[in-house]
């Protein structure tokens, strides 16, 4: 059974006609899990292409699994970001794979991210992202609750072509 699944996966990946980023007018929606220190959560994002290799988007995260000893309110758990991305799929020559670094402006910081997205079919793919703050808006000593959504984060999930 394991061999059959491996062959089926290779067949799908080899013959899939999927495009990770098609340029101006392209629209993608992602949903996934967010992993960071002191809590894990859910993340959702939307990207839209404005040029051959440029997209803008929005992403939001809500941290669900916060340690009980951290007194985290809604405003500590929630974050929303506006993003700028440099989509490199046409540069690296793989239409089904997109690597895109970018910058973001959130409620808590100015940050950077790098995301990779791979599409198995024309409508469905997976993504992975790493993000970190470059400049935090609050420069004082942050409490553990204030550090939520204001630290290194790793996101993993599904991507959909709209």
């Amino acid at each position: 059974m394991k061999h059959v699944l491996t062959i089926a996966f290779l067949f799908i990946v080899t013959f899939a006609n999927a495009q990770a980023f098609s340029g101006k007018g392209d629209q993608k929606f992602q949903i996934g899990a967010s992993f960071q220190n002191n809590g894990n959560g859910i993340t959702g994002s939307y990207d839209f292409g404005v040029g051959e290799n440029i997209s803008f988007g929005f992403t939001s995260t809500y941290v669900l699994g916060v340690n009980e000893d951290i007194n985290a309110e809604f405003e500590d758990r929630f974050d929303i970001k506006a993003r700028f991305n440099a989509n490199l799929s046409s540069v690296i020559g793989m239409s089904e794979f997109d690597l895109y670094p970018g910058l973001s402006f959130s409620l808590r910081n100015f940050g950077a991210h790098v995301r990779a997205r791979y599409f198995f079919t024309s409508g469905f793919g997976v993504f992975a992202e790493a993000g970190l703050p470059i400049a935090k808006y609050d420069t004082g000593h942050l409490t553990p609750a204030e550090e939520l959504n204001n630290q290194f984060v790793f996101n993993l999930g599904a991507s959909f072509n709209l």
Side-chain angles (χ1 to χ4, degrees):
M1 183 66 172
K2 186 169 135 182
H3 297 296
V4 172
L5 290 174
T6 303
I7 291 169
F9 176 76
L10 290 174
F11 181 78
I12 290 169
V13 170
T14 302
F15 293 102
N17 187 15
Q19 191 159 358
F21 184 74
S22 60
K24 187 174 182 177
D26 185 61
Q27 298 180 63
K28 302 286 191 264
F29 173 73
Q30 288 82 213
I31 187 96
S34 177
F35 305 97
Q36 58 182 287
N37 232 3
N38 295 322
N40 301 318
I42 187 166
T43 186
S45 63
Y46 171 74
D47 296 317
F48 54 95
V50 295
E52 181 181 349
N53 296 86
I54 297 177
S55 65
F56 291 113
F58 300 96
T59 185
S60 183
T61 303
Y62 187 78
V63 183
L64 298 167
V66 178
N67 297 337
E68 287 185 19
D69 54 334
I70 297 174
N71 187 18
E73 301 295 328
F74 175 83
E75 60 271 6
D76 298 318
R77 295 171 182 248
F78 176 78
D79 195 21
I80 190 166
K81 299 175 183 177
R83 302 161 50 108
F84 165 81
N85 306 305
N87 302 79
L88 304 177
S89 63
S90 65
V91 175
I92 60 177
M94 293 180 63
S95 65
E96 67 278 350
F97 177 75
D98 190 17
L99 176 68
Y100 53 106
L103 300 173
S104 60
F105 299 93
S106 79
L107 296 175
R108 304 190 186 314
N109 60 51
F110 168 69
H113 60 273
V114 63
R115 180 180 275 188
R117 172 169 57 200
Y118 183 85
F119 271 79
F120 299 106
T121 68
S122 62
F124 175 75
V126 293
F127 80 93
E129 174 183 21
L132 59 111
I134 295 173
K136 299 175 183 179
Y137 300 147
D138 185 354
T139 58
H141 178 70
L142 300 179
T143 67
E146 292 170 329
E147 285 185 4
L148 295 174
N149 291 308
N150 206 5
Q151 60 183 312
F152 176 81
V153 63
F154 181 75
N155 300 321
L156 185 64
S159 185
F160 303 94
N161 199 6
L162 301 177

